Amino acid sequence: MPKSMFLNMIKDEMYKLRYSKRSIKAYLKWISSYIHFHQKKHPNLMHDREVEAFLSHLVLELDVAAATQKSALNALVFLYRDIIHQPLSFKLNFVKSTRQQKLPIVLTTDEMRNLLVVVNAQQKLAVSILYASGLRLMECIRLRVQDIDFDFKSIRVWNGKGGKHRVVTLAEELIPPLQQQITVVKQYLEADLLNPEYSGVYLPHRLRHKFKQANRSIQWQYLFASSRLSTDPEDQSLRRHHIDASAVQKAVRNAAKKASIPKTVTPHTLRHSFATHLLQSGADIRTVQDQLGHADLRTTQIYTHILQRGGNSVVSPLSRL
């Protein structure tokens, strides 16, 4: 929890506005950095010029990527629009990051197979879904029981990046472990309902009013439910949240080390591998775009560049000697 009363006020306001906990943490970090950059001057006493100086500093001194600079800008736009009520100018003049996006790290099919063999049993299902369905980490651990469609062998992803919904493929091999996982969640729920302090699973604000009993139904429970109950920071109620993202990150990192994979492997590497392997198997790029939830086809095309740079379509002159 932030020590600053001002930052605590921002945190409370963001909870009221239904921001995710990850967004709240990121915005508070950037707002705090902005304040410290200007020698703890209160944001009420600053505006466009100071924001421009801070955003330029991120590029000129810290050499941050464009996405990082954009994250900082979003936080400060929120600060001045929703907290201080003095919106920033639409034409801010700051140095924009020109760092090129890195090419994704992709595992070979053998590396992927070896990683899944040695990954921690507790996280294996989540890790398998990241690769089998191309989900982002938070999309995976935020899945609810009802998001798994066994009949159509698909997974429904709600409010992914950019607030978009999509349907992705479900590998048939994962159906038995998913059914077993749902059985575990049912056992958790049965025990929770006997606890008089239990307030049900977290639901978005509109849904909690529209479906008043949904938070105690199996359909709305998190698929990857935490083994422990915890206090909701929004209203101090007792709930069972989903597992922490760091548990999956650690499991992937340790599995890559055990499998002796000489690459920097993160959960997002599995999403990159999913896309690349789909293209290698002959899938149409539009299909891959839909599965990944990319708004722009150019974002998906980076995986075709990986295949080309890997030499699949270009013969090295050394091979002709």
Side-chain angles (χ1 to χ4, degrees):
M1 180 178 292
K3 296 179 181 179
S4 163
M5 291 180 62
F6 179 66
L7 293 179
N8 275 324
M9 180 271 289
I10 295 174
K11 175 177 68 70
D12 292 341
E13 187 63 23
M14 291 188 75
Y15 272 124
K16 291 177 185 176
L17 294 173
R18 316 308 313 149
Y19 279 81
S20 71
K21 293 171 185 175
R22 284 170 65 88
S23 293
I24 293 172
K25 182 178 179 180
Y27 278 29
L28 291 179
K29 185 197 84 167
W30 285 122
I31 293 170
S32 177
S33 297
Y34 168 65
I35 293 171
H36 281 83
F37 175 73
H38 289 292
Q39 287 76 50
K40 299 186 178 180
K41 191 175 180 180
H42 197 283
N44 271 326
L45 304 175
M46 302 186 286
H47 206 255
D48 287 355
R49 187 165 56 85
E50 288 79 7
V51 169
E52 291 169 348
F54 175 67
L55 294 175
S56 295
H57 158 76
L58 294 179
V59 171
L60 297 175
E61 302 298 328
L62 303 183
D63 191 29
V64 302
T68 303
Q69 187 183 43
K70 184 179 179 181
S71 175
L73 174 60
N74 290 341
L76 297 178
V77 166
F78 167 81
L79 171 67
Y80 282 97
R81 183 193 63 214
D82 295 276
I83 303 298
I84 297 179
H85 304 297
Q86 294 179 8
L88 297 171
S89 168
F90 284 113
K91 296 182 178 180
L92 291 174
N93 182 24
F94 58 90
V95 178
K96 295 179 174 60
S97 175
T98 57
R99 269 181 57 184
Q100 284 192 323
Q101 182 181 3
K102 293 179 181 178
L103 281 174
I105 293 174
V106 174
L107 302 183
T108 65
T109 51
D110 284 341
E111 288 172 333
M112 194 65 239
R113 187 181 299 111
N114 293 339
L115 185 143
L116 290 175
V117 167
V118 299
V119 71
N120 184 311
Q122 285 187 311
Q123 312 301 337
K124 184 172 183 176
L125 179 57
V127 172
S128 297
I129 288 178
L130 292 176
Y131 172 66
S133 303
L135 297 190
R136 299 178 179 91
L137 176 56
M138 293 309 298
E139 290 174 343
C140 178
I141 65 176
R142 286 175 179 162
L143 288 173
R144 310 275 181 155
V145 169
Q146 65 183 355
D147 295 334
I148 308 300
D149 191 328
F150 292 110
D151 295 328
F152 288 93
K153 295 177 184 175
S154 60
I155 298 175
R156 288 181 288 270
V157 179
W158 302 95
N159 299 304
K161 190 174 182 179
K164 297 188 292 290
H165 312 318
R166 72 184 191 279
V167 177
V168 300
T169 188
L170 168 61
E172 189 169 356
E173 293 79 2
L174 295 183
I175 291 178
L178 277 168
Q179 291 172 332
Q180 185 177 356
Q181 178 65 19
I182 291 173
T183 299
V184 172
V185 176
K186 285 180 180 177
Q187 293 171 348
Y188 281 150
L189 181 59
E190 289 171 1
D192 292 341
L193 293 176
L194 297 176
N195 186 338
E197 296 182 9
Y198 178 65
S199 299
V201 72
Y202 168 81
L203 290 182
H205 193 258
R206 291 181 181 177
L207 289 174
R208 74 178 67 167
H209 290 291
K210 187 175 182 180
F211 306 110
K212 296 187 182 298
Q213 298 302 315
N215 62 353
R216 295 171 180 268
S217 68
I218 184 60
Q219 291 86 353
W220 280 99
Q221 303 306 305
Y222 285 112
L223 177 65
F224 295 108
S226 170
S227 60
R228 299 179 182 179
L229 293 173
S230 57
T231 302
D232 189 332
E234 179 185 348
D235 57 12
Q236 305 306 306
S237 56
L238 190 65
R239 304 187 188 280
R240 188 177 296 278
H241 205 50
H242 55 64
I243 60 173
D244 194 273
S246 62
V248 180
Q249 292 167 332
K250 183 178 180 181
V252 170
R253 187 168 59 249
N254 289 344
K257 186 175 180 180
K258 283 184 181 179
S260 300
I261 298 174
K263 300 174 182 176
T264 301
V265 185
T266 70
H268 215 67
T269 305
L270 309 190
R271 175 174 161 88
H272 295 322
S273 302
F274 162 83
T276 305
H277 296 169
L278 268 186
L279 288 171
Q280 281 181 321
S281 66
D284 180 81
I285 192 169
R286 292 284 183 182
T287 300
V288 178
Q289 178 189 11
D290 290 340
Q291 290 285 310
L292 295 175
H294 288 162
D296 192 330
L297 184 63
R298 288 175 295 182
T299 308
T300 315
Q301 285 175 332
I302 192 170
Y303 298 108
T304 64
H305 300 331
I306 294 172
L307 294 176
Q308 291 166 359
R309 293 194 182 196
N312 289 352
S313 59
V314 179
V315 177
S316 168
L318 177 66
S319 302
R320 300 184 186 278
L321 295 180

